Amino acid sequence: MHELAPGIRHWTARHPKIGIEVSSYWLPDLGVLIDPLAVPAKVEDVNTILLTNRHHRRSSLEARERFGASVHVPEAGMQDWQGDPVEAYAPGDELAGGAVTAHGVGALCPDESALHIPSVSALAVADGVIRYEDDLRFVPDDLMDNPEGTKRGLKDAYAQLADELDFENLLVAHGQPLVGGAREALRTFATA
């Protein structure tokens, strides 16, 4: 685990189902984990666990038990969480005591979301954009039902977020986060 920027800690772990490294985040000043997998022992004082889509279950329930934290999942994906001790959130909801605002992305799946965290100048995104190399990219076409339509929808959503929100860091769930210049990079990706 390392500090990406003030107030943002990042680590990666190999996802047991998909077999690749995925990213997780700890915002210690806010007591927040985002999309956690294999939470390091040095993480402490967590009260809120946020998932950017329903598929990012990862180690969230284990972290809930460890910290006594609440787990928040997009309401459009709650069908995958029946009987689990989680809370639903909707676009526009303020989470973590108002420190995080949820935004709908959709297109890839109904519960694809983004989380805006102004205090650390960050936007956390789910699966619609990845960064395993230098550039932002879409997930592979074979993970989309309608690749061209899905890409158009994702570009529209990300362009709107880049226009409306102020952030310098992009916290991707898949690949390496982008520290500094993320708003312009997302805008460029969305308008290319």
Side-chain angles (χ1 to χ4, degrees):
M1 179 168 43
H2 66 282
E3 186 172 51
L4 286 178
I8 306 172
R9 307 278 171 82
H10 169 251
W11 75 94
T12 62
R14 189 170 192 79
H15 195 290
K17 291 184 182 174
I18 60 176
I20 58 173
E21 293 287 313
V22 296
S23 287
S24 301
Y25 303 91
W26 175 36
L27 311 178
D29 297 340
L30 302 178
V32 169
L33 287 176
I34 299 173
D35 294 334
L37 176 64
V39 179
K42 63 177 78 172
V43 172
E44 57 187 18
D45 299 325
V46 171
N47 53 48
T48 306
I49 300 166
L50 303 174
L51 306 187
T52 54
N53 75 25
R54 73 183 185 275
H55 299 298
H56 291 180
R57 177 180 297 261
R58 299 179 178 183
S59 300
S60 60
L61 295 179
E62 294 88 344
R64 177 190 173 276
E65 287 296 314
R66 175 176 159 191
F67 300 110
S70 57
V71 177
H72 302 264
V73 178
E75 71 179 354
M78 287 298 289
Q79 71 276 4
D80 286 3
W81 290 83
Q82 296 303 311
D84 288 316
V86 300
E87 299 175 32
Y89 71 79
D93 284 357
E94 293 184 349
L95 307 164
V100 179
T101 304
H103 294 270
V105 172
L108 187 60
C109 63
D111 56 297
E112 184 79 5
S113 301
L115 303 170
H116 185 226
I117 312 122
S119 67
V120 294
S121 193
L123 184 70
V125 294
D127 297 341
V129 61
I130 63 174
R131 186 172 178 256
Y132 282 102
E133 298 173 11
D134 288 338
D135 297 328
L136 298 175
R137 300 179 186 277
F138 290 113
V139 296
D141 284 1
D142 63 344
L143 296 176
M144 301 180 199
D145 292 334
N146 171 8
E148 293 312 308
T150 299
K151 289 175 187 177
R152 272 193 309 277
L154 289 170
K155 283 184 171 192
D156 290 346
Y158 291 138
Q160 183 175 351
L161 291 171
D163 286 345
E164 294 176 359
L165 304 176
D166 188 23
F167 58 95
E168 285 298 313
N169 307 302
L170 187 66
L171 310 182
V172 296
H174 296 278
Q176 291 301 310
L178 181 58
V179 179
R183 183 179 187 188
E184 286 309 311
L186 188 63
R187 180 181 284 120
T188 299
F189 171 76
T191 57

